[in-house]
Amino acid sequence: AIAQSLDHQQSLLHALGNIGNVHSALSQYPQAIDCYQQQLATAQAIGDQLGMSLAYGNLGVVCHALGDYEEAFQQFHQQLKLVRQMGDCYREGQVLSNLGNTYHVIGRHTPAMQCFQEALSIARQLGDRLGEAHVLGYLGNVHHSRGQFQTAIESHQQHLDLARVLGDRAGEGRALQGLGNAHQQLGNYDQSLDYPFQNL
């Protein structure tokens, strides 16, 4: 309200994004979309590329959550184009991961793998260990979906090793779950039962 009264577009841009994030966290997606669309319009009006890229990404995440994957693809591709123009490698990796997860959920494993491999390369170039760990987990999930269970185990193990080094307990739990599932598929039942309890 203060930003609107002062006609301070930059503050308004941030406020709209933050309000949208709260609605999204509460699964109030129509309200979130409304805020993000206003965020995008405000960013476009003042030529703020970063604000535009954030709005596209926010819209993509909400569309993904709603199962509107085609719209999610459009929003993420718009964001990817912008972050590449800006030379923002960190956000490029994040967008590629979001695209990869969207491809994965609709069963398009080859483009998902390509996105994750690009994201992994960027994370390693930047020294982003947490980002690298997350992408290794995503790669493990795709390998699992393709029936490549041994390769999935290798990715999840790398994810687990990094998560433990970084103290990422949530990531450690996801990696252990992935390892357990993959071992179960291979008939390694003792290991499949053991892995999920290592995080307790």
Side-chain angles (χ1 to χ4, degrees):
I2 293 170
Q4 287 174 326
S5 69
L6 296 175
D7 195 28
H8 195 291
Q9 297 300 296
Q10 198 68 48
S11 296
L12 178 61
L13 175 67
H14 293 304
L16 286 165
N18 288 334
I19 295 169
N21 291 341
V22 174
H23 282 303
S24 181
L26 292 170
S27 300
Q28 298 170 347
Y29 297 126
Q31 298 95 319
I33 288 172
D34 181 58
C35 287
Y36 294 147
Q37 287 175 337
Q38 291 183 62
Q39 179 189 25
L40 178 59
T42 303
Q44 289 171 330
I46 62 176
D48 185 330
Q49 285 191 312
L50 177 57
M52 290 165 60
S53 75
L54 293 174
Y56 283 128
N58 289 334
L59 286 165
V61 169
V62 172
C63 290
H64 181 109
L66 289 169
D68 188 353
Y69 301 120
E70 285 305 315
E71 186 63 29
F73 280 127
Q74 291 185 30
Q75 301 297 334
F76 287 141
H77 279 295
Q78 290 278 15
Q79 185 185 23
L80 186 61
K81 180 181 176 181
L82 271 175
V83 295
R84 282 176 170 167
Q85 287 176 356
M86 296 161 58
D88 188 341
C89 294
Y90 178 76
R91 283 194 175 83
E92 182 181 354
Q94 291 181 322
V95 182
L96 286 165
S97 289
N98 285 335
L99 276 169
N101 282 320
T102 306
Y103 279 122
H104 182 214
V105 80
I106 63 171
R108 295 182 61 186
H109 300 140
T110 299
M113 190 70 70
Q114 291 170 344
C115 287
F116 290 140
Q117 290 288 3
E118 282 188 68
L120 183 63
S121 177
I122 290 171
R124 285 174 170 167
Q125 288 171 8
L126 295 175
D128 177 11
R129 303 296 301 282
L130 185 59
E132 180 182 354
H134 288 168
V135 179
L136 286 166
Y138 301 148
L139 282 167
N141 294 337
V142 177
H143 286 305
H144 188 109
S145 296
R146 298 177 80 168
Q148 300 167 336
F149 302 119
Q150 190 57 52
T151 312
I153 286 170
E154 292 168 10
S155 292
H156 287 309
Q157 186 62 57
Q158 291 179 66
H159 179 197
L160 178 62
D161 293 342
L162 262 180
R164 284 177 168 166
V165 168
L166 297 169
D168 177 13
R169 295 284 287 168
E172 184 180 349
R174 290 192 299 271
L176 288 166
Q177 189 67 50
L179 282 164
N181 291 338
H183 277 293
Q184 182 180 29
Q185 292 295 325
L186 289 172
N188 304 329
Y189 298 116
D190 288 343
Q191 288 169 291
S192 72
L193 288 169
D194 179 55
Y195 273 114
F197 294 101
Q198 291 184 26
N199 192 243
L200 296 177

